[in-house]
Amino acid sequence: FLLRCVITAAFGSLLLGYDQGIISGAIVPITNHFSLSAFDVEILTSSLTLTSILGSFIAGLIADWAGRKMGLMTAAAIFIGGSIGMGLATSFGILLVWRCVTGIGVG
């Protein structure tokens, strides 16, 4: 049981680290494509981390209500949906919304 808990927590951290690594490499093309200011870049890069805090609270409620397995599947679906949404974003606002959705899935 303890090993499964540790592995699950590790995957959550892996998702957060992976997404932070991706945005650090993609921020220059994103900035050029959407003509972002420095403030916009800061908001975009920190939005995932901030919304993952909210996601962790929601995950606890889902786990209490539907169980851990359903909570993990819900988080994975939210993360995948948010990632697809970020890839299809046509404006900064849409990208930011999908980045926040992904943050909830990471949390």
Side-chain angles (χ1 to χ4, degrees):
F1 173 76
L2 180 60
L3 181 61
R4 278 194 273 167
C5 289
V6 170
I7 290 171
T8 301
F11 276 121
S13 297
L14 179 73
L15 286 176
L16 181 61
Y18 176 76
D19 204 278
Q20 291 294 338
I22 291 297
I23 196 67
S24 69
I27 200 65
V28 173
I30 291 171
T31 301
N32 294 336
H33 183 73
F34 293 124
S35 301
L36 302 180
S37 67
F39 181 74
D40 292 340
V41 170
E42 291 172 6
I43 294 296
L44 187 64
T45 55
S46 64
S47 61
L48 184 124
T49 305
L50 293 175
T51 55
S52 68
I53 296 168
L54 174 64
S56 66
F57 290 122
I58 294 170
L61 296 174
I62 291 173
D64 288 343
W65 176 67
R68 285 176 302 189
K69 186 183 280 188
M70 184 56 107
L72 287 173
M73 290 190 307
T74 302
I78 292 170
F79 182 81
I80 290 169
S83 298
I84 291 169
M86 285 189 293
L88 298 174
T90 57
S91 70
F92 170 68
I94 293 172
L95 179 62
L96 184 61
V97 167
W98 284 113
R99 188 134 170 93
C100 290
V101 169
T102 305
I104 291 171
V106 167

